[in-house]
Amino acid sequence: GPKVLQIPSHQIIDMGQMVTLNCDPVSNHLYFYWYKQILGQQMEFLVNFYNGKVMEKSKLFKDQFSVERPDGSYFTLKIQPTALEDSAVYFCASSLRQGFQDTQYFGPGTRLLVL
Amino acid sequence: AQSVTQPDARVTVSEGASLQLRCKYSYSGTPYLFWYVQYPRQGLQLLLKYYSGDPVVQGVNGFEAEFSKSNSSFHLRKASVHWSDSAVYFCVLSERSNYNVLYFGSGTKLTVEP
């Protein structure tokens, strides 16, 4: 089936530095999402993105977070500066359209450790 | 507020046995409900989803789930498991007013023993 790729699979970074997480969505998809899963906790919605704009974001999407998809390339999540509480697995997802009938396809996640 | 509870963090069954993974939700209306599965080193994959109508929905690989409004549950079942079913299973909810935001349970790790 359709696959979403995430690069890198693991990232270790010092607190205060910038990190960019990359997502290669399904090729014809138009809607993009990031979710965050802290170790031992549930996966939680961060943000969704369409047509170059953030459509909706949760309270977890702090001011230090930003998303973009320049020129149809990777869909990225940037954290600048990072904090210890940003350590988590970040999952990217994409869908062709919005709506119940449209499945969100997920990547395998990027494990981020902030030291 | 909406939430999803999967009370069993780990379940171990023998190959060929039947399976039920439990899911309870909290939501004031009737939600959309999903089961996703994550195999090792892979992304989450949709197994099945419920919108309305017949409370028993069929999914891929012989999985089915039953919606119960009275019990606020959406349990996943399979009649006979295979070792390849070993994975983490997530019960997921979305609101009918905003189906793009998914709310996840904490997941159940299923191990199928030979």
Side-chain angles (χ1 to χ4, degrees), chain A residues 91-103:
Chain A
F91 292 91
C92 170
S94 69
S95 65
L96 178 59
R97 291 176 291 268
Q98 285 189 317
F100 174 74
Q101 295 302 327
D102 283 273
T103 300

Side-chain angles (χ1 to χ4, degrees), chain B residues 91-114:
Chain B
C91 184
V92 181
L93 173 154
S94 70
E95 299 173 337
R96 291 186 181 239
S97 59
N98 186 2
Y99 33 65
N100 297 300
V101 178
L102 301 181
Y103 298 90
F104 286 77
S106 52
T108 297
K109 184 173 183 178
L110 173 66
T111 301
V112 179
E113 293 182 329

Side-chain angles (χ1 to χ4, degrees), chain A residues 55-74:
Chain A
M55 303 298 289
E56 186 168 2
K57 59 184 180 181
S58 73
K59 61 182 186 302
L60 297 180
F61 194 79
K62 305 181 299 184
D63 291 343
Q64 297 88 333
F65 288 24
S66 62
V67 290
E68 64 176 356
R69 191 181 187 219
D71 301 324
S73 60
Y74 289 151

Side-chain angles (χ1 to χ4, degrees), chain A residues 18-37:
Chain A
M18 182 193 74
V19 68
T20 300
L21 308 184
N22 298 294
C23 172
D24 188 8
V26 178
S27 61
N28 61 337
H29 283 185
L30 301 174
Y31 293 84
F32 312 105
Y33 313 81
W34 283 104
Y35 292 83
K36 175 182 180 181
Q37 185 178 29

Side-chain angles (χ1 to χ4, degrees), chain B residues 3-58:
Chain B
S3 67
V4 179
T5 302
Q6 294 179 249
D8 304 310
R10 295 175 183 270
V11 169
T12 300
V13 297
S14 298
E15 192 166 23
S18 62
L19 170 72
Q20 176 171 279
L21 300 183
R22 296 183 292 164
C23 172
K24 299 273 285 184
Y25 68 88
S26 175
Y27 180 60
S28 56
T30 300
Y32 294 136
L33 293 162
F34 310 78
W35 276 97
Y36 276 83
V37 60
Q38 185 179 28
Y39 299 103
R41 293 172 298 281
Q42 297 185 30
L44 282 74
Q45 301 171 30
L46 182 67
L47 273 181
L48 48 80
K49 56 188 176 183
Y50 172 77
Y51 169 70
S52 66
D54 188 339
V56 179
V57 291
Q58 304 296 322

